[in-house]
Amino acid sequence: MNDALIRVDGITKRYAAGRDGASTVFEDLHFAIEPGEFVCLIGHSGCGKTTILNILAGLEPATEGYVFVGGREIRGPSLDRAVIFQGHALMPWLTTVGNIAFAVASRWPKWTGSQVRSHCQEYIDLVNLSGAEKKRPAELSGGMKQRVGIARALAIQPKILLMDEPFSALDALTRGMLQEEVLRICAETRQTAFMITHDVDEAILLADKIILMTNGPGAKIAEIVVNTLPRTRTRHTLHKEPHYYPIRNHLVDFLVSRSRRFNEALPADYDPRHPPLVAPGRDEPPATSGSLRHDKSMVVNVKTLKEPSASLASSK
């Protein structure tokens, strides 16, 4: 914890009293992110996921608590924290290189035009957009627009990359390709990242740790799941890893049932300052391939998850 790049210390978000009284979205959250770590946060709609990301970005304040980056308290937006939103948020009158150059010139205002262009090209190449430098957003596909957004964020060399469901609006094929691009880039650059997602398999593919939020209002961090799969994982080999199903079933079980019940009956030893750290599959013998099967009906997206289905119940 002492070496953490990001430290969240007891943040709470509460809105002023209205007709039904004050509303607490989440309360007393504590977690840390180490340098080079990729952390995903997952939970049902209404638990304050995007609000947490906005607080980390300095875009809105917490009602209580503090956030520290590199040992310094966040007091507003900073180029040390780059944000990739659900939409690409590109300026439509600028080209690919122009959109990236706008951010780069803000980061290094004394650089010459040649320096800016050379730096931009490095990140255009990194996200495999070579040849699209002079195209405007209207000439790019949805996936290419999001690649520009990723390149723009990485080009300012932030201490942490903050992502709010950046692939949710893309088709499945493009989403999968970009997930692997982000996985590759973060591995190559050792970029620290924090991402909001509704997709269980996306979290398992990308994250080193997965923060599980209980249902709101009054949401809490129930536990933090350590991803025990090797970092060399890909979306094509993910389901072949021996710990994949224990991790996935653990996440699905939480989202289907435990996230709803957690606040109603807090464990006696629960301490919000030290959320339980769990590693499904690591301390138990992995199931054999004969006892595991991939059921397409188990593909989970939290946005559409309501009640346990028969296939989910049978998978536990």
Side-chain angles (χ1 to χ4, degrees), residues 10-307:
I11 61 171
T12 294
K13 188 64 179 182
R14 186 177 296 114
Y15 292 102
R19 182 177 301 176
D20 300 322
S23 173
T24 301
V25 183
F26 53 79
E27 57 185 347
D28 205 13
L29 306 187
H30 298 258
F31 63 90
I33 303 175
E34 309 295 330
E37 203 168 43
F38 199 122
V39 174
C40 278
L41 187 147
I42 195 167
H44 287 278
S45 296
C47 69
K49 299 184 297 297
T50 295
T51 303
I52 293 169
L53 184 139
N54 287 341
I55 291 172
L56 293 183
L59 298 176
E60 64 178 284
T63 307
E64 299 172 9
Y66 307 91
V67 178
F68 300 91
V69 176
R72 302 183 65 178
E73 183 185 350
I74 288 177
R75 295 188 179 274
S78 167
L79 291 172
D80 284 338
R81 284 164 273 128
V83 183
I84 301 175
F85 297 100
Q86 292 182 33
H88 54 78
L90 301 179
M91 288 172 278
W93 61 90
L94 293 179
T95 62
T96 293
V97 70
N99 269 283
I100 301 170
F102 184 86
V104 172
S106 299
R107 178 66 155 172
W108 295 284
K110 295 183 179 180
W111 276 16
T112 65
S114 177
Q115 286 177 299
V116 170
R117 286 191 297 273
S118 175
H119 188 78
C120 290
Q121 190 63 52
E122 177 183 345
Y123 288 87
I124 288 171
D125 295 342
L126 184 66
V127 299
N128 292 324
L129 273 179
S130 305
E133 291 86 348
K134 296 182 180 180
K135 292 185 178 181
R136 290 182 169 80
E139 302 173 271
L140 302 174
S141 68
M144 293 173 76
K145 291 174 186 175
Q146 205 64 320
R147 286 174 192 263
V148 178
I150 294 169
R152 179 178 58 185
L154 292 171
I156 62 173
Q157 298 179 350
K159 289 183 178 178
I160 182 167
L161 185 63
L162 303 169
M163 295 178 280
D164 186 6
E165 297 188 74
F167 315 127
S168 60
L170 303 174
D171 64 89
L173 181 60
T174 303
R175 182 166 61 249
M177 292 173 60
L178 283 181
Q179 286 168 352
E180 293 208 329
E181 285 291 311
V182 168
L183 194 64
R184 174 185 63 82
I185 290 167
C186 287
E188 289 179 6
T189 62
R190 295 294 296 160
Q191 175 67 58
T192 307
F194 176 83
M195 184 170 121
I196 303 298
T197 182
H198 276 100
D199 189 322
V200 167
D201 284 311
E202 181 172 72
I204 297 173
L205 175 64
L206 297 176
D208 299 307
K209 292 178 182 174
I210 304 166
I211 299 174
L212 301 183
M213 293 287 292
T214 67
N215 290 8
K220 300 174 177 62
I221 294 176
E223 60 190 35
I224 300 175
V225 176
V226 177
N227 192 342
T228 55
L229 273 59
R231 278 203 167 203
T232 54
R233 59 188 178 269
T234 70
R235 62 192 173 100
H236 301 293
T237 62
L238 197 65
H239 66 285
K240 298 178 182 178
E241 299 291 345
H243 291 171
Y244 167 72
Y245 285 100
I247 295 172
R248 193 176 194 277
N249 290 342
H250 184 89
L251 296 179
V252 171
D253 175 64
F254 175 82
L255 293 168
V256 170
S257 57
R258 291 192 294 126
S259 62
R260 184 174 60 252
R261 300 195 308 260
F262 191 89
N263 290 353
E264 299 171 0
L266 288 176
D269 59 348
Y270 177 73
D271 181 357
R273 295 169 299 176
H274 305 286
L277 205 63
V278 299
R282 186 176 64 184
D283 301 321
E284 58 192 57
T288 63
S289 58
S291 64
L292 291 173
R293 65 184 181 88
H294 179 61
D295 187 346
K296 290 184 179 179
S297 65
M298 286 181 60
V299 174
V300 175
N301 185 301
V302 185
K303 284 183 175 178
T304 58
L305 189 58
K306 293 181 180 179
E307 295 297 330

